[in-house]
């Protein structure tokens, strides 16, 4: 029998040992006994790593898990998340038999409604990804929706996505079931133990301090939901999550509300409905969320807030309009309880940057039941092997900048974060809250020139440019968006003339000292023992050979190097270099905020620079991948001749205080050259034509240099080697299962998003990892990961929103394969 919102759960359902004395030591301490902590503990033990103690401050499941609605769905917005969610369904389907705990798993299916053409595009896109990953999925018309949900009105509904293997589970008992399985494999389970701080020495975890004493350990896993941020902060680790009120109500008996009724998600109206005990449960993900600081939340377990019918009224109105039987049934329960949300609405997983062997699994944005089994399995693997075994880029705890754990920032962003789960998931969707926190030195100039700003890690970046003096707005679509033509002009100007990019968000570091060369050699796969003022492109691997970062390393002096990586990897790069420098005669300095970065790109870039600088700008004076300090405008800047666009280009690094002076001089001097501003959307289209990789999409920890077709970056014989070298040597001998290729659609109309399935002669052989519109080519273009033994002689197609489009698949990039390469 279903037992939602059950406060009788706990370890007493399977053991009498949950209040035994604490052991003085365990190899791994898991803090938090909800679905995430219990799943992680179980998967550790299942893998043979069972010297684990799980600590819960109250009773199992009493934090966030107990009040979840228990929804389970495999339909997610990316291949990676779909795989994790799919595993959850597989696990729940056997959990009761394996544990002996009644988890009430009901595989009723789910139905996601679409009321707008944009939502229809989204559900078709989701359907494509689901099928790609082996999940049964079908797009229905309004009549099909009515057949599956006969008690709902179908007026205004265009269609729906039906996922027959979805359903719901009792969340609290599912957590208990995982804990029981873990207990049976030797994991210690302790309730009513409060952890007050993490203990560390020499930047590594050494134990935890509890209200019942200290436990020494080698590893700590924080799976304590909304309390994770503050506990992590006791050792200087930033985990950006924040609590908000999350509501679901239960209606009385409703005729037609049967256990097999699919979960209904009316995303356009921000609610879901599921069966419960012959009635219906209605839950909300309203767009105007109510954030709550931790100090307002009881730490005593089973925390709730007062019922707020006024705030719920708009959701209630929509739900009752769609299912009129709710009006007569009335409501007998209003559940309002805390859940934690992150700045980008993806959960947080992995090893913290600041302290070794401190792992985090939290901030699941009300999707902990969906991802609990999969996240627990992958985190256990991460803990044991030391690196992620899946494409963790979108959920990695190290993806955020430090400021994003600021509570003022989080409070504001969480107003939006709650509703983003059900809001339209447009390509290039930009947040609207907590903006203008990090601005480049050139921000005011870009705004005057009509920049359409977007946000990445808090950075305000110009994605595209509208009319100067205006503030462009985004008109989202799964097809061509309102900036399409403007970006095409920026793209053309880069190929034919000269443009300026504000790239100040690039993460910039200096490594200096007698051991600086040793540190950079260890960090980078390329040989960085270069002449002074020479740059090279390389990868930064983990011990298992997976790609954690990519970027350029420039030698500034015998004992000084500049390392530049993508903006989203600033904190990750800092701590990666810092750990390698520890104990060596080298220091790492984050220069990101101190230096602007102005990209001067295009065939006429050399001509433009010669107008504001007395330096010699000939090819002989500064060859490709060379750097130098130049006199420019009224100051000086370091200049690298590198390019991410496939054309002649330079990157200027003036100090932040002189950046506007340099920018203004460039802009004025370039007027008769037809100079234009260009944004990140143009940068993406240019690099896609050129086949350059995008960290987090085309490459990540699940990829290695060979599978990513980046073997040219490996200096396997350089003195001292590099992190991951031994693993890479093994890969070289074993061969690869997948490889990167270049894909261009033949039809000029469609656009690519990501994760579209690639077919050869009607058989799926891979998926797109990234894509954009290639304005020079006149068609969509991108990169794909396909089977390594693929026969290129077949007929290829790519599935975009349910339709197959003929495509060309190539071993080489489509644009100017002999031109200048990616940033080194």
């Amino acid at each position: 029998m279903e037992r939602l919102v059950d406060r009788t759960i706990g370890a007493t359902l399977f053991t009498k040992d949950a209040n035994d004395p604490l052991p003085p030591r365990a190899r791994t301490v898991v803090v938090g006994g909800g679905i995430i902590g219990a799943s992680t503990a179980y998967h550790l033990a299942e893998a043979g790593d069972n010297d684990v103690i799980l600590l819960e401050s109250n009773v199992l499941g009493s934090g966030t898990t107990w009040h979840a609605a228990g929804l389970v769905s495999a339909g997610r917005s990316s291949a990676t998340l779909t795989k994790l969610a799919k595993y959850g369904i597989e696990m729940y389907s056997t959990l009761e038999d394996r544990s002996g705990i009644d988890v009430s798993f009901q595989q009723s299916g789910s139905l996601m409604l679409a009321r707008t053409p944009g939502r229809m595009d989204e559900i078709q896109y989701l359907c494509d990804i689901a099928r790609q990953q082996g999940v049964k999925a079908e797009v229905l018309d309004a009549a099909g929706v009515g057949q599956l949900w006969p008690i709902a009105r179908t007026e205004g509904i265009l269609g729906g996505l039906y996922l027959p293997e979805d359903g719901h589970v009792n969340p609290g008992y599912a957590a208990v079931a995982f804990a029981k399985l873990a207990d049976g494999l030797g994991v210690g389970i302790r309730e009513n133990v409060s952890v007050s701080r993490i203990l560390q020495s020499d930047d590594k975890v050494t134990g935890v301090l509890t209200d019942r004493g200290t436990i020494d350990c080698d590893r700590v896993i924080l799976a304590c939901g909304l309390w994770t941020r503050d506990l992590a902060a006791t050792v200087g680790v930033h985990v950006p999550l924040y609590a908000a009120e999350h509501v679901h109500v239960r209606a009385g008996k409703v005729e037609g509300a049967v256990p097999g009724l699919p979960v209904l998600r009316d995303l356009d109206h921000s609610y879901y409905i599921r069966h419960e005990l012959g009635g219906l449960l209605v839950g909300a993900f309203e767009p105007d969320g109510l954030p709550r600081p931790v100090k307002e939340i009881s730490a005593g377990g089973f925390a709730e807030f007062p019922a707020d019918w006024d705030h719920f009224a708009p959701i209630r109105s929509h739900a009752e309009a769609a299912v009129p039987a709710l009006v007569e049934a009335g409501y007998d329960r209003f559940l309002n309880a805390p859940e934690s949300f992150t700045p980008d609405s993806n959960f947080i997983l992995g090893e913290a940057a600041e302290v070794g062997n401190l792992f985090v699994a939290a901030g699941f944005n009300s999707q902990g039941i969906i991802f609990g089994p999969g996240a627990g399995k992958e985190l256990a693997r991460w803990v044991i092997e030391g690196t992620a075994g899946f494409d963790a880029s979108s959920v990695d705890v190290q993806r955020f900048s430090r400021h994003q754990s600021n509570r003022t920032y989080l409070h504001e962003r969480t107003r939006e974060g709650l509703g983003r789960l059900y809001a339209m998931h447009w390509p290039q969707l930009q947040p609207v809250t907590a903006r203008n926190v990090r601005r480049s030195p050139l921000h005011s100039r870009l705004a005057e020139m009509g920049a359409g700003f977007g946000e990445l890690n808090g950075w305000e970046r110009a994605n595209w440019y509208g009319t100067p003096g205006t503030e462009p707005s985004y008109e989202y679509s799964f097809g061509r968006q309102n900036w399409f033509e403007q970006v095409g002009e920026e793209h053309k100007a880069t190929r034919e003339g000269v443009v300026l990019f504000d790239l100040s968000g690039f993460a910039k570091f200096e490594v200096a000292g007698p051991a600086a060369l040793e540190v950079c050699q260890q960090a980078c796969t390329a040989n960085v023992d270069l002449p002074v003022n020479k740059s090279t492109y390389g990868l930064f691997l983990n011990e298992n050979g997976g790609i954690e970062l990519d970027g350029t390393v420039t030698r500034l002096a015998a004992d000084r190097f500049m390392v530049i990586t993508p903006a989203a990897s600033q904190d990750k790069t800092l701590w990666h270099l810092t750990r390698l420098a520890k104990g060596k005669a080298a220091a790492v300095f984050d220069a990101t905020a101190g230096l602007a970065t102005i990209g001067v790109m295009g065939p006429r870039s050399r001509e433009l620079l010669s107008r504001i600088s007395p330096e010699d700008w000939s090819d002989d004076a500064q060859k490709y991948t060379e750097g130098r300090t130049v006199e420019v405008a009224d100051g000086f800047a370091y200049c690298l001749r590198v390019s991410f666009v496939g054309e002649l280009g330079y990157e200027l690094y003036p100090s932040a205080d002189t950046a506007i002076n340099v920018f203004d001089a460039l802009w004025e001097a370039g007027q008769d050259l037809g100079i234009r501003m260009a944004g990140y959307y143009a940068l993406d289209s240019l690099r896609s034509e050129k086949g350059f990789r995008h960290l987090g999409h085309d490459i990540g920890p699940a990829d290695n240099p060979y599978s990513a077709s980046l073997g040219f970056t490996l200096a396997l014989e350089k003195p001292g080697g590099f992190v991951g070298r031994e693993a890479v040597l093994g890969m070289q001998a074993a061969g690869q299962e997948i490889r990167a290729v270049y894909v261009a659609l033949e039809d000029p109309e469609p656009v690519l998003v990501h994760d579209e399935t690639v077919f050869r002669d009607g058989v799926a052989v891979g998926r797109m990892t990234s894509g954009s519109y290639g304005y020079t080519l006149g068609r969509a273009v991108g990169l794909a990961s396909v089977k390594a033994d693929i026969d290129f002689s077949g007929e290829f197609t790519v599935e975009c929103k349910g339709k197959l489009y003929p495509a060309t698949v190539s071993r080489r990039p489509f644009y100017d394969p002999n031109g200048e390469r990616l940033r080194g």
Side-chain angles (χ1 to χ4, degrees):
M1 177 179 289
E2 294 176 288
R3 303 177 300 282
L4 287 181
V5 193
D6 192 332
R7 297 171 178 81
T8 66
I9 55 177
T12 56
L13 292 173
F14 63 84
T15 182
K16 297 180 180 179
D17 302 333
N19 288 300
D20 282 1
L22 300 181
R25 175 177 170 77
R27 186 177 188 192
T28 305
V29 173
V30 179
V31 184
I35 189 71
I36 308 301
S39 170
T40 304
Y42 160 70
H43 283 98
L44 279 168
E46 185 189 41
D49 200 323
N50 68 346
D51 185 7
V52 178
I53 184 81
L54 183 151
L55 306 178
E56 167 54 48
S57 62
N58 299 290
V59 298
L60 295 179
S62 63
T64 298
T65 302
W66 74 280
H67 64 73
L71 308 187
V72 179
S73 176
R76 303 290 96 186
S77 60
S78 73
T80 296
L81 296 180
T82 300
K83 290 176 185 176
L84 293 177
K86 180 186 177 187
Y87 176 77
I89 290 177
E90 295 167 354
M91 192 69 202
Y92 288 130
S93 68
T94 64
L95 188 55
E96 184 171 326
D97 289 341
R98 297 171 66 179
S99 68
I101 300 287
D102 178 7
V103 300
S104 304
F105 180 56
Q106 177 70 49
Q107 208 157 9
S108 59
S110 76
L111 185 59
M112 185 184 299
L113 302 183
R115 296 180 180 275
T116 67
R119 187 71 76 177
M120 282 298 295
D121 285 343
E122 180 182 357
I123 67 172
Q124 183 62 69
Y125 175 71
L126 293 173
C127 183
D128 293 347
I129 294 178
R131 289 173 174 171
Q132 176 194 101
Q133 297 301 321
V135 175
K136 294 180 181 178
E138 181 182 3
V139 174
L140 306 176
D141 59 15
V145 169
Q147 291 176 358
L148 283 176
W149 249 83
I151 60 175
R153 299 174 59 191
T154 58
E155 288 84 354
I157 294 174
L158 302 182
L161 175 62
Y162 178 48
L163 298 163
E165 296 171 325
D166 285 1
H168 45 81
V169 69
N170 184 287
Y173 283 83
V176 171
F178 273 115
K180 181 180 178 182
L181 290 175
D183 177 76
L185 292 172
V187 172
I189 308 292
R190 297 293 186 273
E191 294 182 325
N192 302 302
V193 179
S194 178
V195 177
S196 58
R197 63 179 299 182
I198 312 300
L199 305 178
Q200 60 97 16
S201 177
D202 200 28
D203 297 326
K204 286 189 177 181
V205 161
T206 61
V208 296
L209 179 64
T210 81
D211 57 355
R212 289 168 56 183
T214 297
I215 302 177
D216 295 330
C217 64
D218 300 324
R219 308 178 297 211
V220 172
I221 298 172
L222 300 183
C224 38
L226 59 93
W227 289 276
T228 300
R229 180 201 174 278
D230 291 353
L231 186 54
T234 64
V235 283
V237 171
H238 66 100
V239 180
L241 55 79
Y242 202 82
E245 298 183 16
H246 181 46
V247 172
H248 57 72
V249 303
R250 184 176 65 187
K253 299 293 183 181
V254 173
E255 185 176 353
V258 296
L261 192 67
V263 174
L264 185 73
R265 291 182 175 87
D266 191 349
L267 306 187
D268 294 311
H269 287 155
S270 307
Y271 70 85
Y272 61 85
I273 303 178
R274 57 153 288 190
H275 167 267
E276 184 188 357
L277 298 176
L280 295 174
L281 181 149
V282 183
F285 286 99
E286 67 274 22
D288 53 342
L290 299 176
R292 287 289 194 125
V294 170
K295 65 183 180 182
E296 296 180 1
I297 301 170
S298 169
F302 304 107
E304 287 189 71
F305 303 119
D308 189 344
W309 285 102
D310 289 340
H311 186 72
F312 185 68
I315 303 297
R316 175 180 178 178
S317 176
H318 284 305
E320 291 177 350
V323 185
L326 289 170
V327 178
E328 295 183 6
Y331 301 93
D332 60 13
R333 185 181 71 215
F334 190 112
L335 191 286
N336 186 8
E339 173 63 279
S340 59
F341 297 84
T342 63
D344 62 3
S345 299
N346 276 339
F347 59 87
I348 299 173
L349 203 70
E351 186 179 13
E354 301 90 336
V355 177
N357 291 332
L358 177 61
F359 294 84
V360 177
F364 278 80
N365 303 275
S366 288
Q367 299 175 89
I369 306 306
I370 290 173
F371 290 119
K377 178 183 178 181
E378 289 298 340
L379 184 60
R381 181 181 175 187
W382 199 331
V383 169
I384 293 168
E385 297 183 2
T387 60
F390 73 112
D391 182 7
S393 303
S394 65
V395 299
D396 189 346
V397 63
Q398 297 185 33
R399 72 188 184 270
F400 297 104
S401 71
R402 187 168 187 81
H403 91 277
Q404 289 179 287
S405 63
N406 174 279
R407 281 170 284 197
T408 300
Y409 168 89
L410 287 169
H411 188 96
E412 178 64 19
R413 176 56 59 85
T414 303
R415 295 182 188 278
E416 176 184 6
L418 176 72
R420 284 193 71 174
L421 185 63
Y422 276 21
M424 280 295 305
H425 301 93
W426 298 112
Q428 290 88 37
L429 178 66
Q430 300 299 322
V432 297
T433 55
R435 295 293 299 269
N436 291 309
V437 178
R438 302 177 77 190
R439 287 178 277 189
S440 89
L442 304 176
H443 182 89
S444 62
R445 288 292 190 270
L446 307 189
E448 292 169 2
M449 292 178 169
F453 288 104
E455 186 228 47
L456 181 72
N457 279 40
W459 275 111
E460 293 294 325
R461 311 195 308 173
N463 284 334
W464 59 288
Y465 289 85
T467 303
T470 67
E471 184 176 349
S473 61
Y474 288 81
E475 296 174 11
Y476 295 110
S477 167
F478 274 84
R480 297 182 177 186
Q481 298 189 16
N482 65 313
W483 43 258
F484 184 86
E485 298 298 334
Q486 290 94 324
V487 171
E489 292 300 316
E490 297 169 22
H491 180 114
K492 181 180 180 182
T494 310
R495 291 276 183 250
E496 299 177 0
V498 61
V499 300
L500 300 182
F501 290 95
D502 178 16
L503 305 176
S504 300
F506 277 3
K508 302 173 281 284
F509 304 88
E510 184 171 323
V511 183
L517 173 61
E518 178 186 353
V519 170
C520 292
Q521 287 282 55
Q522 279 287 298
C524 185
T525 58
N527 188 351
V528 301
D529 191 2
L530 304 163
V532 172
N533 288 324
K534 185 69 173 176
S535 176
T536 188
Y537 170 74
L539 306 175
F540 298 66
L541 308 181
N542 57 44
E543 293 288 353
N544 290 336
I547 301 171
E548 295 289 346
L549 300 161
D550 76 333
T552 57
V553 180
T554 304
R555 191 168 203 165
L556 302 177
D559 59 353
R560 291 176 56 224
F561 293 81
M562 181 167 66
V563 178
I564 303 170
T565 60
S569 59
Q570 181 178 351
D571 272 30
K572 192 180 188 76
T573 306
L574 173 62
W575 293 105
H576 186 76
L577 293 171
T578 300
R579 287 187 181 183
L580 290 175
K582 189 175 180 61
K584 299 182 177 71
V588 179
F589 171 68
D590 187 344
T592 304
L595 295 174
T597 308
I598 303 173
V600 186
M601 302 290 165
R604 306 192 75 174
S605 55
R606 180 180 287 138
E607 182 180 356
L608 173 60
L609 285 164
S610 69
R611 294 183 177 188
I612 67 163
S613 170
E615 312 291 349
D616 180 359
W617 290 93
S618 68
D619 190 65
D620 288 339
Q622 186 173 9
K623 294 182 171 60
Y624 186 58
T625 72
E626 289 184 350
R628 57 178 176 161
T629 298
V630 297
E631 191 174 338
V632 60
D634 296 317
F636 296 87
Y638 195 76
C639 176
L640 275 176
R641 184 179 161 189
V642 291
S643 172
F644 196 50
V645 302
E647 303 292 345
L648 176 66
Y650 301 84
E651 290 173 0
L652 295 176
Y653 292 86
S655 58
D657 58 340
T658 62
I660 286 183
N661 175 269
V662 174
F663 177 86
D664 287 347
L666 286 165
W667 184 252
E668 182 178 348
Q671 290 305 302
D672 66 324
L673 298 178
I675 190 171
R676 290 188 66 119
M677 294 302 301
Y680 277 86
Y681 290 166
L683 192 70
D684 192 47
S685 70
L686 291 157
R687 71 94 195 168
S688 294
E689 286 188 336
K690 191 66 176 166
F692 295 151
R693 309 307 193 267
H694 187 294
L695 183 67
H697 290 279
D698 304 310
I699 52 176
D703 305 297
N704 65 69
Y706 295 118
S707 67
S709 301
L710 294 174
F712 68 88
T713 66
L714 301 174
L716 294 171
E717 305 305 321
K718 70 176 179 178
F722 53 83
V723 174
R725 177 181 179 274
E726 296 305 313
V728 166
L729 289 173
M731 295 169 187
Q732 187 181 39
Q736 299 297 308
E737 294 182 1
I738 59 174
R739 60 165 296 166
V741 295
Y742 309 95
V743 179
L745 302 186
E746 296 178 9
D747 188 323
E749 290 304 311
V751 297
L752 295 168
V753 182
H754 64 78
D755 280 334
E756 292 89 349
T757 305
V758 179
F759 295 87
R760 178 189 174 275
D761 294 339
V763 177
V765 293
R767 65 179 180 87
M768 301 297 301
T769 53
S770 72
S772 185
Y773 196 84
Y775 294 92
T776 308
L777 302 173
R779 49 185 173 150
V781 63
L783 287 94
S785 177
V786 301
K787 294 178 181 178
D789 60 355
I790 190 172
D791 182 352
F792 285 84
S793 66
E795 293 187 2
F796 290 91
T797 54
V798 175
E799 186 173 38
C800 303
K801 292 184 295 184
K803 183 177 178 180
L804 294 176
Y805 290 91
T808 303
V809 175
S810 171
R811 296 179 180 87
R812 299 182 64 84
F814 294 99
Y815 177 77
D816 187 17
N818 297 313
E820 300 203 337
R821 296 184 60 90
L822 159 65
R823 295 188 45 77

